[in-house]
């Protein structure tokens, strides 16, 4: 590759990273931090923070918020970061940093986690532990698929017209085939809630905008926190407010690496 093209690509990558919004940065740092913490042998970070159906109770509800940050190894962590970053960055730019904090440490994580535990424990009778950010990836793919469908309902392959909202389903089954150790039901739980969020069925769980504005103003978050995205800086608005027909639709980013069992590595 010519040096000028290499320099251009490096500059673009550096610019993209430097422009990432605050919550997305925090998520990336947390994933890396938990991986580093897992290098020590005093505390088993994976056992402590993974989503394990039989280990769930009042004292271990924290697992519903820790499992997306914990990964089996550096490869697992890096691949999930690459898959998650563009999706999370778009979501935060649209809904704001404070909204992301409330949603991803609330209903957009706990609801698919409860759904997975219910399926795994009470339907299948298993106790497969899962960890990794790919449940978020499939959730956000579901949100993006619904938005894309509103603007561009179909894409054509040969003589077949395929609804664009089905794209994440294809990714889901492709992951199950290519990476048998990944958690199909963990991914499916995230995708179902992502579709619901994109369609506006969980908008009542979003924090009231009036309260978010009050918190932002009271704490002067926009002035104090670099890369903070305020309510007024959002691209489109609240849940259920989708781009208009003359707004370009963005293609869903690449394949996500999956949620994995506690004793298996995820990878292509």
């Amino acid at each position: 590759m010519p040096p000028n093209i290499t320099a251009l690509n490096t500059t673009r990558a550096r610019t993209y990273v430097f422009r990432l919004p605050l919550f997305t940065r925090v998520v990336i740092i947390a994933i890396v931090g938990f991986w580093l913490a897992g290098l020590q042998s005093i505390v088993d970070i994976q056992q402590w923070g993974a989503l394990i159906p039989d280990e769930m109770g009042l004292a271990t509800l924290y697992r519903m918020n820790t499992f997306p940050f914990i990964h089996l190894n550096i490869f697992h962590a890096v691949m999930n970061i690459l898959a998650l970053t563009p999706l999370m960055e778009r979501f935060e730019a649209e809904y704001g940093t404070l909204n992301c904090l409330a949603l991803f440490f609330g209903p957009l994580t706990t609801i698919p986690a409860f759904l997975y535990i219910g399926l795994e424990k009470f339907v299948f009778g298993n106790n497969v532990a899962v960890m990794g950010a790919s449940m978020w990836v499939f959730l956000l793919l579901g949100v993006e698929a619904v938005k894309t469908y509103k603007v561009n309902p179909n894409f054509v392959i040969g003589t077949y017209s395929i609804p664009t909202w089905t794209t994440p389903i294809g990714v889901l089954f492709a992951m199950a085939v290519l990476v048998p150790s990944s958690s199909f039901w963990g991914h499916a739980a995230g995708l179902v809630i992502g579709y619901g969020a994109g369609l506006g069925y969980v908008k009542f769980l979003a924090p009231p905008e009036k309260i978010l504005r009050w918190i932002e103003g009271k704490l002067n978050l926009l002035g104090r926190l670099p890369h903070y995205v305020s309510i007024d800086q959002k691209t489109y608005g609240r849940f259920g407010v989708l781009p208009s027909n003359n707004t370009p639709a963005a293609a869903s980013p690449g394949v996500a690496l999956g949620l994995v069992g506690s004793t298996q590595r995820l990878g292509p």
Side-chain angles (χ1 to χ4, degrees), residues 145-204:
V146 172
K147 288 162 54 179
T148 301
Y149 179 75
K150 293 288 185 178
V151 180
N152 183 25
N154 301 288
F155 64 91
V156 178
I157 298 179
T159 59
Y160 297 96
S161 181
I162 302 173
T164 50
W165 67 266
T166 63
T167 303
I169 298 176
V171 176
L172 176 67
F173 282 97
M175 284 297 302
V177 173
L178 297 175
V179 190
S181 61
S182 64
S183 173
F184 176 86
W185 295 111
H187 294 158
L191 183 56
V192 167
I193 302 305
Y195 280 141
L199 292 169
Y201 292 134
V202 297
K203 63 182 178 181
F204 66 94

Side-chain angles (χ1 to χ4, degrees), residues 3-231:
N4 57 336
I5 296 179
T6 303
L8 179 61
N9 290 337
T10 302
T11 301
R12 287 179 176 177
R14 186 184 300 114
T15 300
Y16 177 77
V17 170
F18 287 161
R19 294 181 61 183
L20 288 175
L22 180 60
F23 183 77
T24 304
R25 289 168 178 251
V26 170
V27 167
I28 295 172
I29 292 171
I31 291 174
V32 175
F34 273 105
W35 171 74
L36 290 173
L39 296 179
Q40 49 77 40
S41 58
I42 300 174
V43 178
D44 189 338
I45 296 296
Q46 294 177 7
Q47 178 64 28
W48 169 80
L51 188 64
I52 307 174
D54 284 352
E55 296 290 332
M56 296 306 300
L58 291 177
T60 56
L61 287 176
Y62 67 86
R63 293 176 182 271
M64 292 192 172
N65 288 123
T66 56
F67 80 90
F69 299 105
I70 297 174
H71 294 77
L72 289 177
N73 50 49
I74 186 60
F75 179 78
H76 183 202
V78 168
M79 291 298 101
N80 271 313
I81 287 173
L82 293 176
L84 179 66
T85 298
L87 290 162
M88 186 66 78
E89 180 266 335
R90 281 177 56 83
F91 191 92
E92 184 175 357
E94 182 172 345
Y95 296 110
T97 298
L98 200 57
N99 229 342
C100 281
L101 179 65
L103 290 170
F104 281 94
F105 281 91
L108 293 189
T109 301
T110 56
I111 292 178
F114 270 121
L115 181 57
Y116 172 75
I117 291 172
L119 288 171
E120 188 70 12
K121 189 170 184 178
F122 301 109
V123 176
F124 304 116
N126 295 326
N127 184 40
V128 179
V130 293
M131 65 190 80
S134 57
M135 184 180 284
W136 281 353
V137 173
F138 275 90
L139 186 148
L140 291 169
L141 283 175
V143 174
E144 288 292 319
V146 172
K147 288 162 54 179
T148 301
Y149 179 75
K150 293 288 185 178
V151 180
N152 183 25
N154 301 288
F155 64 91
V156 178
I157 298 179
T159 59
Y160 297 96
S161 181
I162 302 173
T164 50
W165 67 266
T166 63
T167 303
I169 298 176
V171 176
L172 176 67
F173 282 97
M175 284 297 302
V177 173
L178 297 175
V179 190
S181 61
S182 64
S183 173
F184 176 86
W185 295 111
H187 294 158
L191 183 56
V192 167
I193 302 305
Y195 280 141
L199 292 169
Y201 292 134
V202 297
K203 63 182 178 181
F204 66 94
L205 297 174
E209 190 168 297
K210 182 178 180 180
I211 294 177
L212 295 180
R213 289 179 184 277
W214 182 84
I215 294 174
E216 284 186 348
K218 193 72 174 178
L219 301 179
N220 189 25
L221 297 179
L222 185 60
R224 292 180 177 180
L225 300 176
H227 308 287
Y228 180 85
V229 181
S230 75
I231 301 299

